[in-house]
Amino acid sequence: MRKLLYLFLIAGLMWGMVVIDLTHSADARVSSSLAPRPPTIVSVKNKVTSSMAPTPTVSQSAASRSHSHRSPLVIALTFDDGPSPVYTPQVLSILQRYKVHATFFCIGEWVHLYPGLVEETFRAGNVIGDHTWSHPDLTKLSSYAVRWQLSSASAAIQYAIGSPPALFRPPYGATNATVVSIASQLGLLQILWTIDPRDWALPGVNAIVNIVLSHATNRSIILMHDGGGDRSETVRALPLIISALQQRGFTFVTVPQLLGG
Ligand code: ZN
C-alpha cells in the first residue's frame, strides 16, 4: 500500500515537472530526465544558518574535572550528492571501521533509483537529509518549483527510510529567504557548512586532508561528496581525516547531534 501511494505521488510529481518545464524559459528549465546532471558546485564557504544549541555541558567525571570544564570537541562530516552505488558503500565501510556517523544530503533522483542504499545508510546510524530532487540552483526557481524540488526529494527519502528528512542543504549553497521559508513550511531546517575542501574538484588527497585538518575547530561542519562524479579522492582522504581528528580529541557527530537535537 505504501508503495502504491509512493508511485502515485511520484506520478503526480512527474506531472508537476512537466508543468514546470512548460512555464520556464529554455535556459532555466528543470530537467525532466531521470539521469541526474553531474553537479558542478561553486566554491562557497558559508556558515550554518540554523540556531545552535547551547554548548554541551561536561559531566563531572574524574576525567572531565581534570580538563577543568572544557567542552568536548565535536565535529560533523556531511556527504552531498549521493547515493552513489560506487562510492556510498565505500564511505559507509570507512565510517563503520572508525565507528563514526555522518549526515548524508541525498539527491531525490538518486534516492528514487537506489532506495536500498539510502536505507542501508540510515540503518547504519547515519542521518539522511534532503538535497533537492535534481540539484538545481533554488534561487533561480519559482516558489512552486522550490517547493516541488524539496518535497519530492523528501517523499523519496521517506519511502526509502520510513520517515521524512528534517534537514536540507541547498545545492551550491545557493539560498535566500524564500528558500528558507518554503523549506521551513515543509519541516526542513537549512544546513550549510563551515569547511569546504573542494573534494569534488579532485585537488588531490593531500589537499583535501590538509584543508580539513587546518580548518577543523569545535563544532565544524565538513562538506564532502559521495556522489555526482569521481569521488575516489574523497574515499582515500576520509580515513586520514577521521583518524587525525580522532587523535586530536574530536568526536564525530551527526548534524542533529551537533545542534543538540
Ligand atoms: Zn550538491
Side-chain angles (χ1 to χ4, degrees):
M1 187 61 187
R2 199 176 76 176
K3 184 161 189 171
L4 272 176
L5 281 172
Y6 172 73
L7 290 173
F8 180 75
L9 183 55
I10 288 297
L13 295 172
M14 291 300 179
W15 172 246
M17 195 177 269
V18 171
V19 172
I20 293 166
D21 266 337
L22 290 174
T23 54
H24 280 69
S25 62
D27 57 348
R29 49 191 285 177
V30 175
S31 167
S32 61
S33 163
L34 270 181
R37 290 166 296 177
T40 48
I41 300 170
V42 295
S43 171
V44 284
K45 184 178 175 185
N46 293 294
K47 296 292 180 186
V48 179
T49 59
S50 58
S51 61
M52 288 294 195
T55 305
T57 54
V58 179
S59 65
Q60 290 302 304
S61 66
S64 67
R65 274 197 300 273
S66 69
H67 286 81
S68 65
H69 298 281
R70 273 173 58 187
S71 298
L73 293 169
V74 293
I75 197 161
L77 284 167
T78 64
F79 295 92
D80 287 11
D81 299 357
S84 154
V86 176
Y87 297 108
T88 304
Q90 297 181 59
V91 168
L92 291 179
S93 171
I94 294 165
L95 296 179
Q96 275 174 346
R97 193 193 316 158
Y98 287 91
K99 297 183 169 50
V100 304
H101 295 133
T103 305
F104 291 75
F105 290 95
C106 297
I107 296 177
E109 281 182 326
W110 290 104
V111 177
H112 178 65
L113 288 173
Y114 303 105
L117 203 45
V118 179
E119 184 183 24
E120 182 188 343
T121 304
F122 176 71
R123 286 186 183 276
N126 302 294
V127 170
I128 308 298
D130 186 325
H131 198 43
T132 74
W133 181 261
S134 59
H135 210 272
D137 179 340
L138 293 177
T139 64
K140 293 186 163 58
L141 300 185
S142 67
S143 294
Y144 175 86
V146 170
R147 183 180 297 275
W148 184 90
Q149 281 285 337
L150 292 172
S151 60
S152 56
S154 176
I157 290 168
Q158 179 161 9
Y159 174 71
I161 68 174
S163 56
L167 308 175
F168 90 103
R169 174 173 284 161
Y172 318 106
T175 187
N176 57 30
T178 303
V179 169
V180 171
S181 171
I182 292 170
S184 175
Q185 291 164 21
L186 297 169
L188 294 166
L189 178 66
Q190 175 171 275
I191 301 296
L192 298 176
W193 59 85
T194 62
I195 302 176
D196 177 9
R198 297 168 56 87
D199 63 322
W200 54 271
L202 302 174
V205 173
N206 286 343
I208 296 170
V209 172
N210 289 340
I211 289 171
V212 173
L213 297 187
S214 62
H215 290 82
T217 58
N218 190 28
R219 306 180 69 81
S220 292
I221 297 179
I222 303 165
L223 170 64
M224 298 181 87
H225 296 81
D226 66 323
D230 180 352
R231 306 311 184 205
S232 56
E233 290 187 1
T234 305
V235 167
R236 281 154 57 207
L238 189 55
L240 303 174
I241 289 169
I242 295 174
S243 58
L245 290 178
Q246 284 182 332
Q247 282 176 13
R248 281 198 212 167
F250 281 94
T251 297
F252 286 89
V253 295
T254 64
V255 169
Q257 288 171 332
L258 192 79
L259 299 176

